[in-house]
Amino acid sequence: MITGPMLTRATTVFAGTAVGLVLLALVSAAPLPFNTSKAARLRLSWTARPQRIEICRTLSAEELAARPEHMRQRVECDGRFASYTLRVEMDDRAIGESIVRGGGLRHDRPIFLLRDYAVPPGVHRMRISFTRRERIETREEKEEEESAPSAVPDADTGLYAGRAAREVAERGRRDRAAIPPRLELDTTVTLAPREVALITFDPERKVFLLHTGGKRTP
């Protein structure tokens, strides 16, 4: 048996559903807005590996002597991955600036970068810089630190024997694979209405590339 309250609820549900269907039909039939802008686009798109920055410390003779022989490691290093400042200028005016890091919780994954900017058609001076934010001590500073005499010859022993040479080789491999500490593209570009200028990174040559009108400019 259908009671008054049940009939009221059913009527309300039916009315609400009908109104929703009508609104959905109206929205579906409405013409989509068409972008009539004649602006060109500057698009940055590349993948690169961030540089690993290591802070190393030479252990004193006393610290080494206090450790078991098989645990002696003359140089201890702690590392993190670099972050970068991306700056985009058109005609000496900044149109974008941001901090870029590698993916993952520790930022040790590759950088996947995608940026898109509207640019008026015409001739423009374009400057794009990608600069590491962290400072790394110079080679002279490293040599001065590493020239400190050690009272324990051949300090890397036991489990760590030969580790120093292996770490040097590994750091060299990582540095060669990483994006350079600073990249810059400073050039003049002519853009037609609705044209897209694409900036990519060449990991072999370590340079930015400009692609416009089917052409590539190093």
Side-chain angles (χ1 to χ4, degrees):
M1 180 177 181
I2 301 176
T3 61
M6 295 176 60
L7 182 59
T8 301
R9 286 196 298 271
T11 302
T12 302
V13 172
F14 176 78
T17 303
V19 171
L21 291 174
V22 171
L23 291 175
L24 179 61
L26 291 175
V27 172
S28 300
L32 293 175
F34 179 74
N35 183 12
T36 59
S37 172
K38 294 184 178 181
R41 311 295 300 185
L42 173 62
R43 185 167 299 154
L44 281 59
S45 178
W46 67 72
T47 299
R49 289 194 171 275
Q51 182 181 6
R52 178 175 169 83
I53 300 172
E54 291 189 338
I55 301 175
C56 298
R57 183 177 71 90
T58 302
L59 274 64
S60 67
E62 292 76 13
E63 289 176 303
L64 288 170
R67 298 189 178 191
E69 183 178 355
H70 68 284
M71 294 294 291
R72 288 175 181 170
Q73 183 183 5
R74 182 172 181 266
V75 178
E76 287 186 342
C77 297
D78 184 24
R80 66 184 187 279
F81 285 83
S83 60
Y84 300 84
T85 298
L86 170 67
R87 183 176 174 86
V88 182
E89 297 180 7
M90 297 293 284
D91 303 319
D92 298 320
R93 182 178 65 87
I95 62 173
E97 186 168 0
S98 59
I99 295 175
V100 180
R101 294 182 173 88
L105 293 176
R106 297 186 298 171
H107 308 298
D108 57 345
R109 303 290 183 176
I111 296 169
F112 294 96
L113 187 136
L114 179 63
R115 300 286 191 276
D116 195 84
Y117 306 93
V119 180
V123 180
H124 301 281
R125 181 189 178 186
M126 177 178 64
R127 179 183 296 167
I128 299 170
S129 63
F130 195 73
T131 309
R132 189 185 63 209
R133 299 168 67 228
E134 294 82 3
R135 176 185 178 275
I136 299 180
E137 61 183 349
T138 64
R139 181 178 299 275
E140 290 75 15
E141 290 171 334
K142 286 185 178 181
E143 290 175 351
E144 181 179 351
E145 177 183 347
E146 292 174 357
S147 63
S150 171
V152 182
D154 301 325
D156 288 346
T157 60
L159 295 176
Y160 294 105
R163 178 173 175 175
R166 293 195 300 269
E167 288 187 344
V168 169
E170 176 61 18
R171 281 196 293 270
R173 185 193 65 79
R174 285 198 304 261
D175 288 345
R176 289 190 297 272
I179 194 166
R182 178 172 175 80
L183 285 172
E184 184 173 290
L185 177 64
D186 189 347
T187 187
T188 299
V189 60
T190 302
L191 298 175
R194 301 190 183 92
E195 183 178 4
V196 177
L198 176 64
I199 307 297
T200 61
F201 170 64
D202 185 335
E204 298 296 329
R205 298 165 58 192
K206 307 292 186 184
V207 296
F208 285 143
L209 298 177
L210 168 63
H211 308 259
T212 56
K215 300 179 181 180
R216 186 181 71 181
T217 304

